[in-house]
Amino acid sequence: MLALFTSVYCADHHSEHEPVVVNLGLPKTAGYRYCAACSDLLRYAIERRQRCPLKPKPSCKHCEVHCYRPGHREKVREIMRYSGKTLIKRGRLDLLWHYFF
Ligand SMILES: [Zn+2]
């Protein structure tokens, strides 16, 4: 989910950087492109998620452990907001649908 959103956000905000296909080790993220900063952010988020101490893991909205470092959370929120809007505008609700259901 975040992987998709970050690639949308990055393509629109960081297109001056050469995007790279980043292998994050997750099948769903195959083929998405990010600049170095975005792949860093994403890698960090994935790492934190894997280390989440709560089982079963609640959705981040309801999570009591604020696992993101300061600033990171805001950045992620901005990315989610922007990309959600963009996908809806582009009529790519199917992508959102795919991730939510
Ligand atoms: Zn980027």
Side-chain angles (χ1 to χ4, degrees):
M1 181 79 189
L2 185 59
L4 164 70
F5 277 27
T6 306
S7 79
V8 170
Y9 178 88
C10 185
D12 286 1
H13 287 81
H14 307 144
S15 51
E16 72 274 19
H17 302 299
E18 191 62 33
V20 289
V21 176
V22 179
N23 181 8
L24 294 157
L26 299 175
K28 272 188 183 175
T29 68
Y32 292 154
R33 289 162 183 275
Y34 316 98
C35 69
C38 288
S39 60
D40 266 10
L41 180 105
L42 205 50
R43 240 181 254 280
Y44 178 82
I46 289 167
E47 198 188 326
R48 293 313 302 239
R49 186 166 282 230
Q50 282 166 350
R51 286 190 199 158
C52 184
L54 301 179
K55 285 188 178 176
K57 193 187 145 357
S59 87
C60 277
K61 208 163 74 183
H62 306 294
C63 189
E64 316 228 318
V65 180
H66 293 297
C67 57
Y68 294 135
R69 64 192 163 193
H72 183 88
R73 203 181 166 76
E74 286 64 39
K75 189 75 194 166
V76 168
R77 206 175 282 154
E78 185 192 332
I79 288 172
M80 298 300 263
R81 206 171 31 225
Y82 175 82
S83 300
K85 266 191 283 181
T86 302
L87 289 174
I88 287 165
K89 261 190 283 181
R90 289 180 188 166
R92 296 311 309 270
L93 275 172
D94 55 315
L95 283 175
L96 290 174
W97 194 262
H98 172 74
Y99 276 92
F100 280 125
F101 298 99

